[in-house]
Amino acid sequence: MADTVREIERKYEADSTTRLPDLAGIDRVATVVEQGVEDLDALYYDTPDQRLTAAGITLRRRTGGRDAGWHLKLPAGPGEREEIRAPLSDVPPPELTSLVRARVLDRDLLPVVRLRTRRTVRELRDAAGAPLAEVAVDEVWAWPAGEAEKPGAAGVAGRTEARWREIEVELTGGGERAPGLLDEVERALAAVGVHPAAAPSKLARALEETGLRPARPEDRTAAVASGKGGAATRRKNFGEKESGKKGSGRKGAGKKATAGDLVLEYVREQLRVIVELDPAVRRDVPDSVHRMRVATRRLRSAFRSYTKVLDRGVTAPVGGELKWLAAELGVERDREVLTDRLVTAVADVPRTLRLGPVDARLRIWSERHRAESRDRVLATLDGDRYLALLKTLHALLEDPPLRPGAGRPAPEIAARAVLKDYRRLARRVRTALDAPAGQDRDVALHRARKAAKRTRYAAEAARPALGRPAKKFAKRVKRVQQLLGDHQDSVVARGALRELATQAQQAGEGGFTFGLLYGREEARAADRERELPRVWRKASRRKYRAALRP
């Protein structure tokens, strides 16, 4: 079983003359306690093209010290990483390799670099003797895996042994509740001439100093060059400020930016989000399934909205696979939303009207569905179909199926795409408003909701080109989407309540409370139907659409 710890640390350059200052008395530090010397031996794994290193991820097998075992470190914010640990074994454990599957794809994980470290540790403690941080002075030897068996041996093929000294300061225990501690330690170190390390990690420095070239600084698996201008050119183009009309509020749509630049950058960003959220979904991090599903839907919507840029004949099959992935993730996400809605609804019922073991019945129902949906999500992420989809998306970005419209100015094509989706949404809203009450209207409102979501995503993708008008338009369409979403959630909730009532009656418990909740959901859906005309009129004003035109 893997354990997870949050790593918050800073690294500093050091040499043979470096001496630590007296750290007692800074911030909450009362004493500095010597913890002795540790000898650590670590073997770092990566793909031959260093995909993990490129993404700021490390996977190592380490012996010696207090935490011997396998360590997988995932970025968790500026200066922070999640370290996931597993027991020692001869090969990388599946519970860790599964978390980098979306990065590695079908490539092998092989030993890349070996590091030996002699670590001298001092612990910073507060007045009560509780640990706040550890300060480690490390003597490090590094060499390419398999090319030298011990420090001092010569490298081959231009690769050599590397040796350096560094200082690590890591928060522990109560130190995580002392946000200024690392800053205080850094100031004390700076006063004696110690400066932050240039390399972000030991592995990055080892790759550089042993001649194993580090991978690109950006994430290979999410930032694949499109083959048309390159990512750096696109970022430069969209980083320029437009010199158009005063007060237009449009920034980021440089004159050189094309519709192809706009759409490919958006596609690249959604793929980056999917890949980065993969380990979070596997670890059941709150809201991760929802966010991954949204990125999947945004990606599919981009293929459908921007057909003037990307060839629909190529992207349609990919969109079908994205629809499949969103549906598989949706089982878990829909369960989360539905459970929260029903739990809140039950809590709002006076106790005198909660007849029978309503809370227990709901809890049993939720846990059963949760187990099923979690198993389904994990099976999806571990499956060949998901892996094939990721590889297809990378291939598409490497060789994008661009149409002639890709070379047109980004604002022109973006505005057309958003307005096209808006017209589709308007037709569906009119159909829903004209539909007879009941199932026909429920279906029509759900179709209008999906159209609202697609229109919103098209406007969000257009923001770098259209600026503030696209942002405002997306915000107003989002309100329509949310209203229709609440209506659809009510439809789904009523189906679940019927199921719960049936189970309760079969168990001899009675279904009065679930029937009461069913009636409340019916009333809530009716309220949303009455609100729709007003919300739609506000979102569909001509001036909002006119503002989108370049």
Side-chain angles (χ1 to χ4, degrees):
M1 179 64 70
D3 297 321
T4 302
V5 297
R6 178 62 63 99
E7 180 185 83
I8 305 174
E9 68 176 18
R10 296 182 186 178
K11 297 179 181 292
Y12 301 89
E13 304 282 356
D15 57 34
S16 59
T17 65
T18 301
R19 295 292 181 268
L20 288 179
D22 183 8
L23 298 176
I26 66 168
D27 201 3
R28 295 163 49 190
V29 178
T31 57
V32 178
V33 180
E34 298 283 347
Q35 295 293 304
V37 177
E38 299 175 340
D39 287 315
L40 312 174
D41 191 345
L43 193 60
Y44 286 79
Y45 283 69
D46 205 339
T47 60
D49 55 353
Q50 299 173 18
R51 288 173 171 253
L52 298 187
T53 303
I57 297 171
T58 60
L59 174 64
R60 73 186 179 200
R61 181 187 187 275
R62 190 165 79 180
T63 57
R66 293 161 291 175
D67 59 350
W70 285 93
H71 304 155
L72 174 66
K73 297 188 179 185
L74 302 172
E80 298 186 21
R81 292 195 289 181
E82 291 270 317
E83 184 177 290
I84 306 163
R85 300 172 178 173
L88 279 174
S89 61
D90 292 335
V91 296
E95 59 265 40
L96 299 189
T97 56
S98 67
L99 297 179
V100 296
R101 186 173 187 248
R103 305 275 185 187
V104 173
L105 299 178
D106 55 0
R107 289 161 177 77
D108 293 328
L109 282 169
L110 304 171
V112 178
V113 173
R114 186 175 183 183
L115 269 70
R116 285 186 178 174
T117 304
R118 171 152 291 185
R119 169 167 291 178
T120 303
V121 181
R122 295 169 178 81
E123 189 174 71
L124 309 186
R125 298 180 181 178
D126 63 15
L132 298 173
E134 284 187 350
V135 179
V137 179
D138 291 341
E139 298 280 352
V140 185
W141 293 265
W143 62 96
E147 292 191 358
E149 295 303 322
K150 60 183 180 180
V156 297
R159 298 175 180 178
T160 61
E161 168 203 324
R163 181 173 181 174
W164 70 90
R165 195 166 183 251
E166 68 178 37
I167 298 170
E168 282 189 8
V169 183
E170 181 177 356
L171 295 183
T172 59
E176 296 180 4
R177 297 186 296 275
L181 179 56
L182 286 179
D183 291 336
E184 290 287 337
V185 172
E186 184 162 302
R187 280 191 283 269
L189 292 174
V192 296
V194 176
H195 304 292
S201 66
K202 286 184 174 66
L203 175 60
R205 182 163 182 174
L207 289 171
E208 180 179 356
E209 296 201 7
T210 60
L212 293 168
R213 293 184 178 275
R216 291 185 293 137
E218 58 188 347
D219 184 352
R220 290 175 188 265
T221 61
V224 181
S226 71
K228 293 287 184 177
T233 300
R234 282 187 295 280
R235 284 194 297 272
K236 179 180 179 182
N237 289 342
F238 284 102
E240 295 173 355
K241 293 186 179 180
E242 188 182 44
S243 57
K245 297 184 296 183
K246 181 179 180 180
S248 68
R250 294 179 180 174
K251 297 181 178 180
K255 294 180 180 179
K256 296 181 181 179
T258 65
D261 295 329
L262 174 74
V263 175
L264 290 174
E265 193 68 22
Y266 185 78
V267 170
R268 183 174 295 103
E269 173 63 13
Q270 303 318 311
L271 179 54
R272 181 192 66 79
V273 172
I274 291 171
V275 171
E276 286 191 354
L277 285 173
D278 179 288
V281 171
R282 293 175 185 272
R283 295 165 57 209
D284 203 15
V285 174
D287 202 39
S288 59
V289 172
H290 169 59
R291 291 163 57 206
M292 187 174 184
R293 187 189 188 194
V294 167
T296 302
R297 285 177 161 175
R298 282 178 170 151
L299 192 49
R300 178 172 177 247
S301 290
F303 291 155
R304 301 175 76 189
S305 297
Y306 290 91
T307 54
K308 298 293 184 183
V309 176
L310 297 175
D311 186 349
R312 184 74 176 139
V314 176
T315 61
V318 184
E321 290 301 280
L322 288 167
K323 181 179 180 180
W324 159 79
L325 178 58
E328 295 300 305
L329 295 170
V331 174
E332 170 69 2
R333 173 58 183 169
D334 291 344
R335 182 205 61 78
E336 290 177 351
V337 172
L338 180 57
T339 298
D340 288 344
R341 190 180 184 99
L342 295 181
V343 168
T344 300
V346 169
D348 288 341
V349 175
R351 287 204 168 272
T352 55
L353 298 180
R354 292 189 215 171
L355 305 184
V358 175
D359 295 293
R361 171 65 56 189
L362 178 57
R363 184 170 56 254
I364 292 170
W365 174 89
S366 175
E367 288 301 320
R368 176 169 61 83
H369 284 278
R370 170 178 167 75
E372 293 172 356
S373 62
R374 280 297 299 166
D375 289 345
R376 185 166 176 174
V377 166
L378 293 176
T380 296
L381 298 187
D382 286 336
D384 293 338
R385 188 173 179 180
Y386 170 65
L387 188 65
L389 173 58
L390 293 179
K391 292 169 65 178
T392 299
L393 289 169
H394 291 310
L396 186 146
L397 282 169
E398 288 174 347
D399 186 18
L402 298 177
R403 297 194 63 207
R408 302 291 299 170
E412 172 192 331
I413 297 299
R416 289 182 184 179
V418 174
L419 293 173
K420 178 190 68 175
D421 283 345
Y422 164 79
R423 290 190 291 271
R424 179 172 174 270
L425 168 60
R427 290 193 298 270
R428 291 197 176 185
V429 171
R430 287 194 296 270
T431 299
L433 292 174
D434 293 340
Q439 185 176 5
D440 289 345
R441 183 179 293 173
D442 290 344
V443 172
L445 288 170
H446 184 42
R447 293 184 73 240
R449 176 202 181 192
K450 291 190 286 187
K453 189 174 296 185
R454 176 168 156 181
T455 304
R456 171 193 162 195
Y457 291 159
E460 290 175 345
R463 278 185 61 184
L466 300 179
R468 190 177 302 163
K471 179 181 179 180
K472 288 186 176 181
F473 185 76
K475 184 177 181 180
R476 289 177 175 86
V477 173
K478 182 179 179 180
R479 291 172 183 165
V480 177
Q481 175 197 328
Q482 289 175 328
L483 183 144
L484 295 172
D486 193 37
H487 183 277
Q488 176 62 17
D489 288 347
S490 177
V491 173
V492 175
R494 278 177 272 161
L497 288 166
R498 282 194 298 269
E499 179 185 344
L500 285 162
T502 300
Q503 292 173 357
Q505 288 181 334
Q506 291 174 346
E509 299 166 1
F512 171 82
T513 304
F514 296 119
L516 174 64
L517 294 175
Y518 188 99
R520 288 185 175 183
E521 286 291 354
E522 275 190 321
R524 187 169 180 175
D527 288 342
R528 298 300 173 265
E529 291 176 25
R530 285 190 291 270
E531 292 174 23
L532 178 58
R534 175 183 59 82
V535 175
W536 173 244
R537 281 195 301 272
K538 188 173 182 180
S540 60
R541 290 175 182 170
R542 187 182 300 273
K543 65 178 183 179
Y544 299 145
R545 302 196 301 280
L548 293 174
R549 300 187 184 279

